[in-house]
Each structure stands twice: as C-alpha cells, then as structure tokens.
Amino acid sequence: MEAKSFDLNDVVEMKKQHPCGTNAWKVIRMGADIRIKCEGCGHSVLIPRREFEKKMKKVIVKSNSEQ
Ligand SMILES: [Zn+2]
C-alpha cells in the first residue's frame, strides 16, 4: 500500500471536520507526531503520524514544493 504523501505547510482535508465547521487543516509540524492547525479557527492538534494517515482524506493545497 502506498503511503499518503503530505508535507509541511500542505493543507489537508480530514475524514471528520472540525466542530467549527471547517475541514481544512494546515500541517505545521512533521515528525513522529503531526501537528495540524484548523484553517477556520486556528485550533491546533497533535496527532501520532499513523493516526493522522488514517484520518487524513486528501491534500487540498500542496505547499510550494512541487514534486
Ligand atoms: Zn476549527
């Protein structure tokens, strides 16, 4: 199975939207844990990478590193 590709500063859509009604999260920290920030209200959460990969639906906006 191919790993989902995402990068720092990408904006991603999750399977569940944030209670504020927004479903756009910016990846602001990469590592064993991923920190994402809600584009709607600015709330940020830290998620273990494995869990993030399960909950992430797709990348909406790629960061400027075009690969
Ligand atoms: Zn929010």
Side-chain angles (χ1 to χ4, degrees):
M1 202 173 96
E2 200 179 328
K4 281 175 189 160
S5 111
F6 57 94
D7 244 309
L8 196 63
N9 295 320
D10 282 0
V11 179
V12 301
E13 190 180 308
M14 304 301 282
K15 285 182 179 151
K16 269 173 86 172
Q17 70 174 27
H18 195 236
C20 78
T22 301
N23 197 348
W25 301 81
K26 184 173 254 181
V27 179
I28 56 171
R29 186 186 133 175
M30 298 278 279
D33 296 320
I34 309 292
R35 185 175 286 279
I36 54 174
K37 189 172 146 207
C38 176
E39 291 276 89
C41 65
H43 179 80
S44 76
V45 284
L46 194 62
I47 311 177
R49 177 183 283 258
R50 185 173 295 183
E51 202 181 316
F52 175 82
E53 286 174 356
K54 259 195 294 185
K55 290 184 175 171
M56 195 259 271
K57 211 159 128 190
K58 63 178 182 190
V59 174
I60 310 170
V61 183
K62 275 305 275 177
S63 63
N64 49 19
S65 57
E66 291 283 322
Q67 286 282 333

